[in-house]
Amino acid sequence: MTASEDNRLVLLMGPTASGKTALAIDLVARLNAEIVSVDSAMVYRDMDIGTAKPDAATQAIAPHALIDLRDPAETYSAAEFVADARREIARIRAAGRLPILTGGTSLYFRALTDGLSALPGRDEDVRARLSAEAETLGWAALHARLAEADPAVAARIHPNDAQRIQRMLEIMALTGERPSVLHARGTQGLAGQRLVRMVVCPASRAALHDRIEQRFSQMMSEGLLTEVEKLHARPDLDLSQPSMRSVGYRQLWQVLDGDLSLDDGVARGIIASRQLAKRQLTWLRSLADAHWLASDDDNNTARAEALIMRAGT
């Protein structure tokens, strides 16, 4: 098989703090591969510690595409990710290398593999009206409205996820249809490509929780609070923006606002990370064709390489 005929695509997934990035970097060293990040927080510049973004030394060894794309005051949609990811996959293949997509944003993985619906664009008037309602009623009330109209979509959205709640209600206002119906019509995903799906995860929930707590503590020792302080000092940033609602950033922002003590902020950041991992695992367990690798297995790199090589035969 020539490089131009190789349609393998490695999807290396896992809950937060599971060790998937380290495995991806090991595979780059053993395969002629390149990494594409699938992380909705790593796309933002100046958000390095709290997103566990690979540092300059790591990037020199294993460059990551699709990080540092946006200023934290800007937005980045799943549709933009799909377009960018497709471009990077084509570039990597044209260079004769194997694309390895790794990250924890299930929305991005789903949008890429399953396709996107033909959804309406932004409507600032509708968004302004929804934002005004949220100011009065709260986003939880708007989430409840969405749940009544489209339970399937609402079940996948956290009641505090203002951006996605607003988007789903905007779609209904503009089309008169439920988002789940529009999504079901879908556009082409990755049909015809050989997907090698692998999930890296600790063997037990307790082990995952320990890893999450240890990583959050490490981030704090590396200067996460200082990183958030710099963002907090910017007049153009607040908690309404998707970037600042990222796990860890939101909780420490509340510390700097005086709404939480530092200890409470750290504790809530760890809890939010565990809740994120639970949501990630719910989706990952639905993938019937995924190969699961235990985080603490010393043979993971060899096992993953064998799975990838087998897909190429």
Side-chain angles (χ1 to χ4, degrees), residues 17 204-216 274:
S204 69
R205 183 173 64 175
L208 177 58
H209 286 185
D210 286 345
R211 289 175 71 100
I212 287 171
E213 184 169 357
Q214 290 169 12
R215 189 169 81 165
F216 203 94
R274 290 174 177 173

Side-chain angles (χ1 to χ4, degrees), residues 97-271:
R97 293 191 290 272
L98 175 71
I100 298 178
L101 278 69
T102 188
T105 302
S106 58
L107 173 64
Y108 286 5
F109 275 117
R110 289 199 305 269
L112 181 64
T113 59
D114 301 339
L116 287 165
S117 306
L119 300 177
R122 294 167 58 104
D123 186 298
E124 297 304 332
D125 290 338
V126 173
R127 290 186 169 225
R129 174 173 59 78
L130 291 169
S131 295
E133 288 186 68
E135 285 287 331
T136 303
L137 303 174
W139 284 109
L142 269 65
H143 183 271
R145 181 190 303 172
L146 176 63
E148 183 176 355
D150 196 336
V153 163
R156 298 196 297 266
I157 301 176
H158 192 278
N160 293 332
D161 192 339
Q163 181 188 23
R164 295 182 66 198
I165 294 169
Q166 182 186 59
R167 178 56 178 158
M168 295 303 104
L169 292 173
E170 177 188 35
I171 289 169
M172 287 197 298
L174 294 173
T175 67
E177 295 193 76
R178 290 173 293 153
S180 60
V181 172
L182 295 173
H183 283 304
R185 292 174 188 159
T187 55
Q188 186 177 12
L190 293 176
Q193 302 197 42
R194 285 179 293 174
L195 304 183
V196 186
R197 299 188 211 244
M198 295 181 287
V199 177
V200 184
C201 184
S204 69
R205 183 173 64 175
L208 177 58
H209 286 185
D210 286 345
R211 289 175 71 100
I212 287 171
E213 184 169 357
Q214 290 169 12
R215 189 169 81 165
F216 203 94
S217 297
Q218 181 180 351
M219 288 175 173
M220 291 299 296
S221 67
E222 291 174 353
L224 178 56
L225 183 60
T226 300
E227 183 171 271
V228 179
E229 284 175 338
K230 293 177 181 177
L231 296 166
H232 190 268
R234 287 181 47 171
D236 59 339
L237 292 178
D238 57 51
L239 287 179
S240 70
Q241 279 134 339
S243 59
M244 293 302 100
R245 291 199 298 271
S246 299
V247 170
Y249 291 88
R250 181 184 184 89
Q251 290 75 26
L252 293 183
W253 191 286
Q254 292 174 306
V255 170
L256 297 173
D257 276 347
D259 297 331
L260 296 174
S261 69
L262 181 57
D263 286 345
D264 285 343
V266 169
R268 291 195 186 191
I270 292 170
I271 290 170

Side-chain angles (χ1 to χ4, degrees), residues 272-309:
S273 299
R274 290 174 177 173
Q275 292 170 336
L276 170 62
K278 182 178 179 180
R279 294 193 298 273
Q280 291 169 323
L281 283 169
T282 297
W283 175 68
L284 291 167
R285 291 186 180 118
S286 73
L287 303 176
D289 60 346
H291 303 275
W292 287 68
L293 306 173
S295 295
D296 58 354
D297 190 335
D298 293 336
N299 295 320
N300 272 344
T301 302
R303 288 184 61 199
E305 183 179 7
L307 289 168
I308 295 167
M309 298 303 293

